Amino acid sequence: MENASEVCRVGVKVPPFWPNEPALWFVQLEGQFALSNITVDATKFYHVLANLDYKYVCEVKDIITNPPTENKYEKIKTELISRLSASQEQRVRQLLTHEELGDRKPSQFLRHLRNLAGSDVPDEFIRSLWTSRLPSHVQAIIAASHNRSFFFYVYYGTTDTPH
């Protein structure tokens, strides 16, 4: 009986890199790694490299040209996220000065503000900011509401307030 060695290639469906949400992109990528049973550090590292545009390769050029001997994937992941993600200060500044309802539903806009604010900004402040940026007729409806049920309906999809 011959001792044959077999090499199998597994296709990974890597989404296009999301420079505005690198941490979320890595979550998607790691899902693909899990589905494809990819556990080798170097394989993960080179999948990341193969799916980055030139602009983002330049962001991590130092890591690519001199990768660590171990944990290459974790290093490039950590650095891409930290170098491309907006700082908490930048997100709060954007929250306070630039965000408008636009073509979003009020509930989508509120979730967007909540995501920008992170966990450090109190919900009452976010609600106040959100309300002030809604059309005046919607602001009037919210102001007329004597309880928080409308807010909870828009944000959580229910009128049940947490106890």
Side-chain angles (χ1 to χ4, degrees):
M1 183 169 175
E2 264 183 60
N3 190 2
S5 190
E6 187 177 324
V7 175
C8 298
R9 291 190 86 156
V10 177
V12 178
K13 295 179 183 176
V14 179
F17 183 65
W18 307 329
N20 295 335
E21 292 279 355
L24 190 57
W25 182 78
F26 276 101
V27 170
Q28 287 276 47
L29 181 60
E30 289 168 2
Q32 289 298 314
F33 289 157
L35 289 172
S36 300
N37 220 11
I38 294 174
T39 58
V40 176
D41 180 59
T43 304
K44 292 178 179 183
F45 177 80
Y46 290 114
H47 269 292
V48 171
L49 286 184
N51 288 283
L52 291 178
D53 289 337
Y54 172 75
K55 177 180 179 180
Y56 307 111
V57 168
C58 291
E59 284 289 331
V60 288
K61 180 179 177 180
D62 56 323
I63 296 163
I64 295 168
T65 58
N66 189 22
T69 54
E70 294 180 2
N71 299 317
K72 291 174 178 65
Y73 170 74
E74 282 302 319
K75 179 67 174 175
I76 199 165
K77 173 185 171 181
T78 301
E79 291 302 317
L80 276 168
I81 291 170
S82 69
R83 294 177 190 189
L84 296 177
S85 295
S87 69
Q88 176 68 15
E89 179 184 336
Q90 289 169 319
R91 287 193 315 271
V92 170
R93 187 176 301 123
Q94 180 181 352
L95 175 74
L96 293 174
T97 60
H98 300 296
E99 292 305 307
E100 296 297 331
L101 177 64
D103 60 353
R104 295 177 269 220
K105 294 179 183 177
S107 58
Q108 292 172 321
F109 183 49
L110 182 59
R111 279 191 298 275
H112 176 70
L113 293 177
R114 191 74 226 119
N115 286 334
L116 278 176
S119 59
D120 296 336
V121 179
D123 275 330
E124 289 303 317
F125 178 77
I126 297 300
R127 181 178 183 224
S128 174
L129 187 63
W130 170 71
T131 304
S132 72
R133 297 195 179 157
L134 293 174
S136 58
H137 69 282
V138 177
Q139 289 181 29
I141 294 169
I142 293 171
S145 175
H146 293 293
N147 62 35
R148 300 171 68 192
S149 64
F150 180 75
F151 171 73
F152 281 97
Y153 175 74
V154 171
Y155 188 70
Y156 298 106
T158 180
T159 57
D160 297 331
T161 57
H163 302 293

